[in-house]
Amino acid sequence: MKQKSKKRRRSKSSQLKKTGMAPGQFLFTGEQKVENTSLQLMTYDKSEIEELSIDTIQEALTKIGNTNKMSWLNVIGLHETDIIKSIVEHFDLHKLSGEDILSVGQRPKLDEYEHYIHIVAKMFRIEDGNIEDEQITILFAEGLLITFQEKEGDVFNTVRERLIEDKGQIRQRHTDYLAYALLDSIVDHYFIAIEHFGNVIEELEVELLENPSDKILPNLHEVRREASYIRRSVFPMRETVNRFEKLEVPYMHKETKLFIRDLYDHTVQVIETVTVLKDAVSGLLDLYMSSVSNRMNNVMKVLTIVSTIFIPLTFIAGVYGMNFTNMPELEYKYGYLITMIAMAILTLLMIFYFKRKKWL
Amino acid sequence: MKQKSKKRRRSKSSQLKKTGMAPGQFLFTGEQKVENTSLQLMTYDKSEIEELSIDTIQEALTKIGNTNKMSWLNVIGLHETDIIKSIVEHFDLHKLSGEDILSVGQRPKLDEYEHYIHIVAKMFRIEDGNIEDEQITILFAEGLLITFQEKEGDVFNTVRERLIEDKGQIRQRHTDYLAYALLDSIVDHYFIAIEHFGNVIEELEVELLENPSDKILPNLHEVRREASYIRRSVFPMRETVNRFEKLEVPYMHKETKLFIRDLYDHTVQVIETVTVLKDAVSGLLDLYMSSVSNRMNNVMKVLTIVSTIFIPLTFIAGVYGMNFTNMPELEYKYGYLITMIAMAILTLLMIFYFKRKKWL
Amino acid sequence: MKQKSKKRRRSKSSQLKKTGMAPGQFLFTGEQKVENTSLQLMTYDKSEIEELSIDTIQEALTKIGNTNKMSWLNVIGLHETDIIKSIVEHFDLHKLSGEDILSVGQRPKLDEYEHYIHIVAKMFRIEDGNIEDEQITILFAEGLLITFQEKEGDVFNTVRERLIEDKGQIRQRHTDYLAYALLDSIVDHYFIAIEHFGNVIEELEVELLENPSDKILPNLHEVRREASYIRRSVFPMRETVNRFEKLEVPYMHKETKLFIRDLYDHTVQVIETVTVLKDAVSGLLDLYMSSVSNRMNNVMKVLTIVSTIFIPLTFIAGVYGMNFTNMPELEYKYGYLITMIAMAILTLLMIFYFKRKKWL
Amino acid sequence: MKQKSKKRRRSKSSQLKKTGMAPGQFLFTGEQKVENTSLQLMTYDKSEIEELSIDTIQEALTKIGNTNKMSWLNVIGLHETDIIKSIVEHFDLHKLSGEDILSVGQRPKLDEYEHYIHIVAKMFRIEDGNIEDEQITILFAEGLLITFQEKEGDVFNTVRERLIEDKGQIRQRHTDYLAYALLDSIVDHYFIAIEHFGNVIEELEVELLENPSDKILPNLHEVRREASYIRRSVFPMRETVNRFEKLEVPYMHKETKLFIRDLYDHTVQVIETVTVLKDAVSGLLDLYMSSVSNRMNNVMKVLTIVSTIFIPLTFIAGVYGMNFTNMPELEYKYGYLITMIAMAILTLLMIFYFKRKKWL
Amino acid sequence: MKQKSKKRRRSKSSQLKKTGMAPGQFLFTGEQKVENTSLQLMTYDKSEIEELSIDTIQEALTKIGNTNKMSWLNVIGLHETDIIKSIVEHFDLHKLSGEDILSVGQRPKLDEYEHYIHIVAKMFRIEDGNIEDEQITILFAEGLLITFQEKEGDVFNTVRERLIEDKGQIRQRHTDYLAYALLDSIVDHYFIAIEHFGNVIEELEVELLENPSDKILPNLHEVRREASYIRRSVFPMRETVNRFEKLEVPYMHKETKLFIRDLYDHTVQVIETVTVLKDAVSGLLDLYMSSVSNRMNNVMKVLTIVSTIFIPLTFIAGVYGMNFTNMPELEYKYGYLITMIAMAILTLLMIFYFKRKKWL
């Protein structure tokens, strides 16, 4: 998970890059993750759908301008700020909106601008056993939806499939429903990420109960930090989805609201599950501390048993190792035998005592 | 409780099956628990009641269509999605509603659709000493109430009895009252589950105070997880019942609201009791930690007492075991006796010291 | 406090008895605590007061029906459900109300029925050094107030005195004021219970600081549970009193509201004090853990000091106890003396070291 | 702080004295702290001010009746309930108000009566290095303000000075401003009390870090209790000041509200600072526990190092102390020397090992 | 960070200086940090900008009076209260406002006065590796904005640059936008401070995991206190910015509100990050405690292993060191050899036992 925490640190320093800039200036605050910005355009209506990979932004904008169908423009890669700028200018987006697209350490939120809606969400995916997070910006207005992401690969494939294969009602509906479908897909993937995370916790738990060792402590600490990070990313989604449901704009259709309500329920469920995970992590820490105490107890018991049995015996042996001239016991024929038997009895008494104390 | 936690894990993975599906699609997210879906239909009015086990859903739907009495259709087993689909289509239910019936990892909730109410609840039963949970869906409208459950056996027997034996006012009332009676029965069973759970906690507590051992730690951890699970399942019931009380639909009668208010009070009481249980569990953990510390203390005391008494004595014996040629004490007639007496006095002083320190 | 916790367990199982019953059925959920139900009736107005012990409920109801004065009927003992049933039917009480009177594990609450007010409260009294709790039901309407309690002995004696001796304004006022006076008396007794409880905590604290032993742990745990129980019982009283103040019924007089406001302040004060007690209990637990650690520390110090001084000395003695033929020191005239002096010096150095470390 | 905690206990028992009394009866619940009740009257307007010590309450009441100026009557000592009764009757105060003046364990609050405002506040002062608290009651209406306190000495001297020396605008304003000035002075003194308390915490902290000993534990516990007490006393002041600001009575002037807003900000600041203090105290407890663990660790290290070095050496010495007839090493010329050298090497290896483990 | 904590203590005592003063009096509560108060005036409009360092306040006031442009007057150094007084009187500021400028221990807040807005904010800067905080007061009205700071050096340089170089829209806008830009710059610098703080925590974490020693405890405690201080300073900024957004005054322009909304989002993000930091610090404390326990465990293991191996061996050696006349083993030819071999086998068994217990 090393790679992970590096990325997170970046998102803090991204904020630093921007310090003191005039608001609304175009500065990408993340790291370049793809070579070239690529553009994917889908235009569709009830009857047909077209999917295009487009090279230049001008071409895309022209295409969008020439159609009456729904358009979904997906922009992958944010480091070529010129492209973003063209989009911002072409659609007359607000400067803060443009700035937010490029600033990748954002909190999930929904902003309502004069003629469009700006949604920021955080996407979690499992990649090579790690939880990868990436910021997604969704802008939508009547007939047009634009998404911005940092790198290739996203959680939207099932949405694309439903569009292409005309499954469900997605082609019958407008961009508000598409925005809902995208957010729904993001939230659905939270469950996968959380399950992955839950598995990591369960493995740690098994390891803790079966083979508790010092090496588990840094892992526990790491998991705790991850849990805290995921929780913080998921929390603002509730408010975001809630504002989505409350939107009163002409391109927001009443039929969609029921679906957003459902999405809201899912988001709440995600948050509850994450909270439960967090509790599970602190449970693990308590378990760890308890097991450390237990092991210490066992170590101490061994020490105490061995010491308590042998120290008195050694003393007795020491006594008869003294060199006094006048020690009558030493001359007795059975002196040695009696001493050894006495020691054996003493040992048995000790063992009995420890048995009764349940230390053995 | 092994079986338990497996089921819970399933309900998470159930969510996964669905990821990326178009909303409103029919996919059962649980495990098949009964061989065939079975259907139970009760039709009743003030004067008479009929109870039927019906083989095909069409027959049931016809029966329901032909009567003016109240109808309660209970569907057991959700894996034959065709049956659910027939019901959804026959009664023109919303797609999200159909999806929710089949998705068994739901949060308790109440959704108001155009012509009916959709309630999701979680049922807890004690079976073979384990707490079993199962999702119950209750749909109701004027004259008709449908319940869906995963497997046979439920908490509604007392409601059936009251219907059949015409106890109380249940036959005089409408489906809103029946829905209330079912929820009330579910909430009543929470008390049984909680009491069962409380007993487990009390047993652990007694064991902890009387015979604290390492083996109790995994049990404590398990109980803590269970408590957290129950709490999370019960919490959303408050909101659900609250929305039930606030409903403003024609098939919701004013007289029923007073009963729902009472149900609400019970739900709040359940939540408070569960919260108290959770506190009790953390109290147990503290108690465990304290008792571990105490036992450690006792182990250490034994070690310290034995060591403190015998180590100095052994040293004295060691001194007179030295082989110096010129050790006048060794030649004294009473040298040995005096040494032994000195050792005895030293031991008594030590014991006195420990007594005063209350270590003995 | 054994008896106590038994009773509490009962109140849970009382809930069980009722599971699945039709709402509004008469079933007493507690244990019989008095042999016969006894009835006390007080009728009063500004000028005169009459106090009666009445044998049959019919007689009481007739008396109440024949007077224009204020009537306070106190019913002691709930196991003869017929009597309760007569009252419920005579005054046309709601079925839920009747059920609630007999169900003794209720949360404090205030329900407003069509023609009367139903208040459930929890009464705490000190009896033989234990905190006893009992459920009190207060019903009142214009001119009539009925109280139900499980056994003899209550906290209302001062109210009775004020009625009989015409102290204050209680005789000039109506049943709303009487209800207030009873609740006020209950809340006043909370302070006594809390003070008793505070004393128990203080005793434990003194014991902990002066003579911390293992035996205190179960006591601490018990006190913690009691604190949690009291807190839970007192919390809903705030809401109850608040709803009392907000009541808008004709037999609720404006002048009384100012007094209820005052009662509300007292209730809040009780809750705050209880919360402080709870903090005090967790403070005690921390104190206990700290003192266990401290004692362990002291035990370890003794062990370490003794071991550190004598183990090296024993080693030296051991060296000169070896039987090598060629050990020149053994032959020196002052070999023994020098060795002993060296040992003494070593011991002094050790003691000095421990002094500097403040272990001695 | 002994004296302190005694007083606090009193304020609880004060509540007991009152249990079951009719509301509105005159009973002083505190301890007598001054010999005679003394009365101070200040009458002032823009142009002049008169300050009087008055012997009898009648004289004071006459004076107040005969003036058109603002009057501030300060009553010191509450045990002569007749005096309070005269005031209550003369100004036609509400019975609950009279009762509250005499009941010294009150929560800070503001009650609005028909023709006057009743404020209860808690005053903290540093006296001989202890934090002393005392209840202050402030009643005010148009042209008249009465304060009640238990004993001489208060925090109002600066207000008196400002009145006498005509500093600021206090003489130009009405009794609402005077009430504000008094509360402001009380809140200002909270800062002094809190700073005193903060100093105590800092001293404990320094002691903990430099010389952690067992004796500090009872002090820590005491400080924790004090922090909890202060916090509880200060919290209700926020609500009190807030209600002061919201008052809508003719003798409450709009210009004063801005000042009360400022007072409110100060109160919030006090609460925040107290909360921080409480955090600091739990920080101290953690620090204490950590330092106890650390010391234990150090003790154990010393024990382990000494034991680990000398126990094997003693064993070796023991071996060559055995009396077997056939032990060839004993006869070697350099047997003793070699053994001693081997022991020295072993010791050095041990020390090296401990160095590497950073135990030395 | 010593210097730091001193400053903080001052801000408490600053409150003390003021105790009992009439509100609205001019008293500087901080320490003098610059020799002379210096004044910087910027006047600008869309077309031009003038930046001046001015010697006397009268000159500045004249300049401001003579221009129709926007004016930003920055006052550095608060100890010359005459200057502040001139400003307060010249612009007819409220007395509380004047008092607040000089009182440097203020909570961030926004007060709305009749003809201007008064904002108090806390500025954090990194200076020589320490986090320095300073109070900033911002007053603004139509056409004029005044800032007050304690010493030279601030976080506003980027704002000045944008003004001078006419970057962004700052010159086109009014003082409300300038106030926003200043606050935005302050909030941006919080991120820097928090990142610095986060780095300190990360360093501690690495040190804890790699080389946990006692010396880290005071550092941990210090960091905890700092985290608590920063958190407390940042929290009220949310409310402040929120009130800024809600302002309804003629010199507050609608276009600015969108920017303030963005600033509000940033502030919330700061608060969340700080909260996460606080969690991280308590995570560190847990980690520290765990690692202390672990180290103790390891120390105990070493002690136990060494003792458990050698104490029994020493006992055996002791036995054969006894001086009984009749000990046949001593005479055996291979007695010594057999004993040594037996000891070796015992040792190997012990080692095997410890290996299986994973102590070795």
Side-chain angles (χ1 to χ4, degrees), chain C residues 339-358:
Chain C
T339 306
M340 294 310 281
I341 289 169
M343 284 176 174
I345 289 170
L346 193 61
T347 308
L348 290 175
L349 284 177
M350 288 290 186
I351 288 171
F352 179 73
Y353 171 79
F354 291 131
K355 283 259 186 237
R356 233 196 44 200
K357 281 219 161 188
K358 309 217 176 191

Side-chain angles (χ1 to χ4, degrees), chain B residues 158 162 167-169 177 180 188-189 191-192 195 202 205 209 258-259 261-262 265-266 268-269 272 276 283-284 286-287 289-291 293-294 296-298 300-301 303-304 307-308 311-312 315 318-329 353 357-359, chain C residues 9 12-13 15-16 18-23 25 94-96 100 105 107 109 111 113 211 214 217-218 221 224-225 228 232 243 288-289 292 295-296 298-300 302-303 306-307 310-311 313-314 317 320-323 329-333 335-336 339-340 343:
Chain B
T158 50
R162 273 155 54 198
K167 267 195 227 157
Q169 41 193 298
Y177 188 87
Y180 149 74
D188 273 356
H189 274 77
F191 282 103
I192 303 181
E195 195 185 33
E202 251 169 67
E205 195 178 328
L209 284 173
L258 213 58
F259 289 92
R261 180 83 228 156
D262 193 60
D265 286 348
H266 286 171
V268 169
Q269 206 176 339
E272 282 177 359
V276 168
L284 276 190
D286 284 358
L287 189 61
M289 285 306 283
S290 303
S291 86
S293 287
N294 263 333
M296 175 105 73
N297 234 345
N298 288 333
M300 294 311 297
K301 269 189 207 164
L303 174 61
T304 301
S307 301
T308 307
I311 286 179
F315 164 66
V319 164
Y320 293 111
M322 292 193 295
N323 296 322
F324 285 102
T325 46
N326 179 18
M327 289 177 70
E329 298 98 316
Y353 171 78
K357 280 218 160 186
K358 311 219 174 188
W359 292 6
Chain C
R9 241 163 267 151
K12 268 191 277 168
S13 62
Q15 206 62 40
L16 298 183
K18 233 188 57 188
T19 304
M21 300 290 297
Q25 272 181 305
H94 196 278
K95 288 188 170 182
L96 285 173
D100 280 353
R107 244 181 131 235
K109 64 174 179 177
D111 285 337
Y113 289 102
N211 178 20
D214 312 10
L217 191 56
H221 196 64
R224 182 186 186 151
R225 267 212 320 228
S228 161
R232 189 162 52 105
R243 292 177 79 173
Y288 178 75
M289 286 306 282
V292 166
R295 276 183 295 148
M296 176 105 73
N298 288 333
V299 169
M300 294 311 296
V302 169
L303 174 60
V306 169
S307 300
F310 285 102
I311 286 179
L313 296 185
T314 305
Y320 293 110
M322 291 193 296
N323 296 322
E329 298 97 317
L330 295 180
E331 315 302 324
Y332 294 166
K333 194 176 168 191
Y336 177 53
T339 306
M340 294 310 281
M343 284 176 174

Side-chain angles (χ1 to χ4, degrees), chain C residues 127-355:
Chain C
E127 221 166 66
D128 308 328
N130 286 331
I131 301 174
E132 293 289 318
D133 64 311
E134 188 186 339
Q135 177 171 310
I136 295 285
T137 305
I138 300 172
L139 309 181
F140 74 95
E142 183 56 52
L144 174 65
L145 183 146
I146 312 179
T147 50
F148 297 89
Q149 54 185 96
E150 293 175 70
K151 56 181 174 183
E152 300 230 25
D154 55 38
V155 302
F156 300 146
N157 285 331
T158 50
V159 179
R160 284 192 193 95
E161 241 169 64
R162 273 154 54 198
L163 274 171
I164 292 166
E165 298 175 15
D166 197 8
K167 269 196 226 155
Q169 42 193 298
I170 193 163
R171 287 257 291 275
Q172 275 78 41
R173 306 239 175 194
H174 295 253
T175 50
D176 56 339
Y177 188 87
L178 181 56
Y180 149 73
L182 295 173
L183 284 176
D184 191 47
S185 178
I186 287 170
V187 169
D188 273 355
H189 274 78
Y190 286 172
F191 283 103
I192 302 182
I194 287 170
E195 195 185 33
H196 171 81
F197 198 70
N199 289 341
V200 170
I201 289 175
E202 251 169 66
E203 281 165 27
L204 276 176
E205 195 177 329
V206 168
E207 209 180 325
L208 253 180
L209 284 173
E210 283 174 6
N211 178 20
S213 85
D214 312 10
K215 282 147 216 153
I216 221 168
L217 191 56
N219 288 341
L220 271 180
H221 196 64
E222 178 73 24
V223 163
R224 182 186 186 151
R225 267 212 320 228
E226 293 280 318
S228 161
Y229 177 78
I230 293 182
R231 199 155 147 257
R232 189 162 52 105
S233 307
V234 170
F235 256 70
M237 277 302 282
R238 174 161 50 182
E239 178 57 15
T240 306
V241 174
N242 189 33
R243 292 177 79 173
F244 192 12
E245 196 193 346
K246 300 276 149 56
L247 278 181
E248 300 266 338
V249 288
Y251 44 92
M252 189 74 208
H253 302 85
K254 216 189 118 219
E255 310 89 79
T256 312
K257 298 226 164 174
L258 213 59
F259 289 92
I260 302 176
R261 181 83 227 155
D262 193 59
L263 172 60
Y264 182 78
D265 286 348
H266 285 171
T267 311
V268 169
Q269 206 177 338
V270 166
I271 287 170
E272 282 178 358
T273 317
V274 172
T275 305
V276 168
L277 279 190
K278 218 203 142 218
D279 283 359
V281 172
S282 21
L284 276 190
L285 278 165
D286 285 357
L287 189 60
Y288 178 75
M289 286 306 282
S290 303
S291 85
V292 166
S293 287
N294 263 335
R295 276 183 295 148
M296 176 105 73
N297 233 345
N298 288 333
V299 169
M300 294 311 296
K301 269 189 207 163
V302 169
L303 174 60
T304 301
I305 289 166
V306 169
S307 300
T308 307
I309 290 175
F310 285 102
I311 286 179
L313 296 185
T314 305
F315 163 67
I316 294 172
V319 165
Y320 293 110
M322 291 193 296
N323 296 322
F324 286 102
T325 46
N326 179 19
M327 288 177 72
E329 298 97 317
L330 295 180
E331 315 302 324
Y332 294 166
K333 194 176 168 191
Y334 299 114
Y336 177 53
L337 196 68
I338 289 166
T339 306
M340 294 310 281
I341 289 169
M343 284 176 174
I345 289 170
L346 193 61
T347 308
L348 290 175
L349 284 177
M350 288 290 186
I351 288 171
F352 179 73
Y353 171 79
F354 291 131
K355 283 259 186 237

